[in-house]
Amino acid sequence: MRYDFHTHTVFSDGELIPSELVRRAILLNHVALAITDHGDASNYKDLIEKITLAREELEKYWDIRVIVGIELTHIPPKSIPKMARRCKDVGAEIVVIHGETIVEPVEKGTNYYASISEDVDILAHPGLIDRECAENIKENNIFLEITSRKGHSLTNGHVINVARNFDIPILINTDAHGPSDLIDLDFARKVGLGCGMGRKELENALCHYPKELLKRL
């Protein structure tokens, strides 16, 4: 079964409404899908409310866990711990931070302030993450992301090496924005193998660690 903890809908810059996205995930044998639209101080409450309403309806009829999430994106780094707490307070099950990918002008310090927050669950596409952040991430039980998304995936090899050196749990997510972005389990394996993951690391990223994250919710 497949798990994906980083996807987007029309509520930010995605192409699909939640029902369409979830339906496509079901056909790719997903057992859980997190909807994590781009948010900041202006829209986080609205996003969380909309996804909560969609989840309540979809789970009545479909056998899939829909997770209410948010991706705090390009916000001032020092505001990350405060905003992550606010998101949790209004109902977000997981908080993803839009990390310092090398293909976007994410402000320096984003990875650091994400790493010191107890309310952050996933640091997405963190780019060239450093030792200090890795130590904080390990201490605060934050997951690192290996991504299938074009551009962001350029530093997957660096991310897996950091995760390996500091024993940080890894998830393989898509950062899906459109119909073709979701992937099945076989393709997710290829993404992991492509960045140098070993057999045991791949098993953890695709099965053990997703279940560990779900237990927190």
Side-chain angles (χ1 to χ4, degrees):
M1 303 299 288
R2 173 82 179 116
Y3 305 81
D4 195 342
F5 297 96
H6 185 181
T7 68
H8 301 278
T9 73
V10 292
F11 296 146
S12 60
D13 59 346
E15 300 175 20
L16 303 173
I17 61 174
S19 296
E20 292 176 292
L21 183 67
V22 172
R23 176 59 186 157
R24 290 173 185 274
I26 290 170
L27 294 179
L28 292 172
N29 293 321
H30 284 58
V31 68
L33 185 80
I35 299 178
T36 55
D37 279 303
H38 296 290
D40 64 8
S42 70
N43 69 342
Y44 74 98
K45 291 181 181 179
D46 186 47
L47 288 176
I48 293 166
E49 180 182 2
K50 287 179 176 179
I51 300 306
T52 299
L53 290 172
R55 186 269 305 276
E56 290 172 353
E57 184 68 9
L58 296 176
E59 287 188 346
K60 291 178 183 177
Y61 303 98
W62 291 340
D63 186 20
I64 186 172
R65 175 71 183 274
V66 179
I67 300 162
V68 178
I70 191 167
E71 183 183 14
L72 294 173
T73 304
H74 286 278
I75 68 173
K78 290 183 180 179
S79 75
I80 288 173
K82 173 184 66 179
M83 286 300 304
R85 181 67 262 165
R86 287 180 177 177
C87 290
K88 288 289 180 73
D89 286 344
V90 298
E93 295 179 279
I94 67 168
V95 173
V96 178
I97 301 299
H98 185 97
E100 293 180 37
T101 171
I102 63 172
V103 296
E104 291 183 21
V106 181
E107 185 174 350
K108 184 175 176 58
T110 293
N111 285 351
Y112 172 76
Y113 282 97
S115 76
I116 64 173
S117 172
E118 296 179 353
D119 295 304
V120 169
D121 299 290
I122 301 170
L123 180 57
H125 43 69
L128 300 173
I129 187 169
D130 62 26
R131 181 184 185 91
E132 181 181 17
C133 291
E135 290 173 344
N136 294 335
I137 285 169
K138 175 63 177 176
E139 181 178 352
N140 287 309
N141 298 312
I142 297 169
F143 291 78
L144 281 176
E145 176 183 88
I146 293 297
T147 180
S148 62
R149 189 156 180 81
K150 182 179 178 180
H152 296 328
S153 62
L154 291 171
T155 53
N156 277 350
H158 174 76
V159 174
I160 189 59
N161 282 330
V162 170
R164 184 179 293 139
N165 290 337
F166 290 89
D167 193 27
I168 297 170
I170 283 284
L171 302 167
I172 298 178
N173 294 327
T174 62
D175 192 3
H177 285 69
S180 63
D181 292 339
L182 292 173
I183 59 177
D184 62 14
L185 187 60
D186 183 59
F187 196 90
R189 288 194 184 101
K190 292 175 182 176
V191 172
L193 291 171
C195 66
M197 297 177 74
R199 181 178 177 181
K200 183 61 177 177
E201 291 172 326
L202 199 57
E203 180 183 346
N204 284 337
L206 293 174
C207 184
H208 177 69
Y209 291 145
K211 291 179 180 178
E212 184 178 306
L213 178 53
L214 286 174
K215 287 179 181 178
R216 294 186 187 180
L217 308 185

